[in-house]
């Protein structure tokens, strides 16, 4: 369990999670009292970690099922402590947001916030995390004043919360067209991570900064941000983020006319994404990092370079990946899952 938790954002967690599942089931057969409670807590954590692994492979209904089981176990074990299940509830909201259902996402974020506010008053970091997700939805809707109000309730004396708030303020500035201030705020968020125990927190602001620079024609600046991201992702074992960084690198090199460099980066991303089954990531940072995106960009490189045979082959591969992705459509799967649950509740 500790090893799997260490690799939360990495496919390496799957080396350990099957053992957590099997051993906890076997031990439960002979457990009682506190031992049973401990093992059931462990099973809740197993489902939470599995939810992340399913999400990274875009198995959104599978991820949803695991997060819901984690929530149900914790509610049954700790009925007097509703804030215990906040992480699982928040993760369900993130899933809905990632498949284009912000309204459903907000329901779960509101539920999570209500629970955390009625829980341990010292859990200001948990509150900050939920508020960050609520603000994220509001920013996507261009509701900047309500988003600012939500973020104002965050306890920014906690460094991780301060980083999240700075990154969201940067996003608001970017959406309002204030590119210079947005870039400065993203850099401030990344610098704040130096005060945190883990550099992993730099990934989100640096990825966003790379996208912002690329969108405004600063390809060399985008390369710098993406290179930093690739290094952090490699050191922290976040394969999905590494693929994202390599694809951002490939895009910028392509825009600068460096076709061999772009091909190298995109090939590396495609090979890694293929190894871990990342057809198209269901992540809020977007589907960069997926086999579909890498294959589409490689096809464009081959066309620009006049390598028609390779372009045709890559087009066929890209098309097959798109078909697979359509079959795994996260949004439809999630909505079907919700319909089944609602039908069961109606029949009861």
């Amino acid at each position: 369990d500790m090893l799997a938790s260490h690799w939360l954002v990495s496919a390496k967690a799957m080396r350990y999670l099957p053992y957590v599942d099997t051993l906890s089931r076997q031990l439960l057969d002979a457990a009682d009292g506190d031992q049973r409670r401990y093992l059931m807590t462990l099973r809740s954590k197993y489902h939470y970690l599995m939810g992340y692994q399913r999400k990274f492979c875009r198995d959104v209904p599978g991820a949803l099922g695991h997060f819901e089981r984690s929530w149900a176990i914790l509610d049954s074990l700790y009925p007097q402590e509703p804030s215990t299940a906040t992480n699982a509830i928040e993760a369900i909201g993130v899933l809905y947001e990632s498949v284009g259902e912000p309204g459903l996402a907000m329901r779960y974020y509101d539920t999570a916030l209500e629970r955390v506010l009625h829980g341990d008053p010292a859990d200001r970091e948990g509150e900050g995390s939920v508020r960050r997700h609520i603000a994220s939805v509001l920013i996507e809707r261009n509701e900047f004043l309500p988003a600012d109000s939500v973020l104002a309730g965050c306890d920014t004396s906690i460094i991780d919360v301060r980083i999240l708030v700075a990154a969201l303020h940067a996003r608001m500035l970017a959406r309002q067209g204030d590119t210079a201030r947005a870039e400065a705020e993203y850099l401030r968020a990344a610098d704040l991570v130096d005060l945190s125990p883990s550099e992993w927190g730099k990934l989100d602001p640096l990825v966003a900064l790379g996208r912002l620079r690329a969108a405004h024609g600063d390809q060399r600046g985008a390369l710098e941000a993406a290179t930093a991201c690739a290094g952090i992702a490699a050191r922290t074992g976040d394969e999905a983020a590494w693929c994202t960084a390599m694809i951002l690198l490939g895009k910028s090199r392509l825009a600068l006319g460096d076709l061999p460099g772009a091909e190298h980066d995109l090939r590396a991303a495609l090979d890694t994404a293929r190894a871990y089954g990342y057809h198209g990531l269901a992540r809020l940072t977007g589907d960069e990092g997926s086999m579909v995106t890498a294959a589409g960009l490689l096809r464009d490189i081959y066309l620009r370079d006049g390598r028609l045979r390779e372009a045709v082959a890559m087009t066929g591969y890209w098309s097959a990946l798109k078909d697979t992705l359509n079959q795994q459509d996260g949004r439809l799967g999630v909505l079907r899952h919700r319909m089944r649950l609602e039908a069961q509740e109606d029949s009861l």
Side-chain angles (χ1 to χ4, degrees), residues 17-27 43 46:
L17 284 171
Y19 293 107
V20 176
D21 184 27
T22 303
L23 289 168
S24 61
R25 286 176 185 274
Q26 291 172 348
L27 290 166
R43 286 209 56 77
Y46 158 76

Side-chain angles (χ1 to χ4, degrees), residues 20-21 24-25 28 34-51 64-89 92 115:
V20 176
D21 184 27
S24 61
R25 286 176 185 274
L28 271 168
D34 289 343
Q35 194 177 55
R36 183 172 184 82
R37 178 181 287 259
Y38 165 74
L39 288 166
M40 288 303 294
T41 303
L42 205 63
R43 286 209 56 77
S44 167
K45 195 171 172 188
Y46 158 76
H47 284 299
Y48 181 76
L49 295 172
M50 275 298 296
L64 182 59
H66 279 293
F67 288 138
E68 286 179 337
R69 283 194 284 278
S70 176
W71 176 5
I73 290 170
L74 289 173
D75 270 1
S76 67
L77 288 175
Y78 307 102
Q80 305 306 317
E81 301 172 40
S83 63
T84 310
T86 300
N87 285 346
I89 300 168
I92 293 171
R115 284 183 173 226

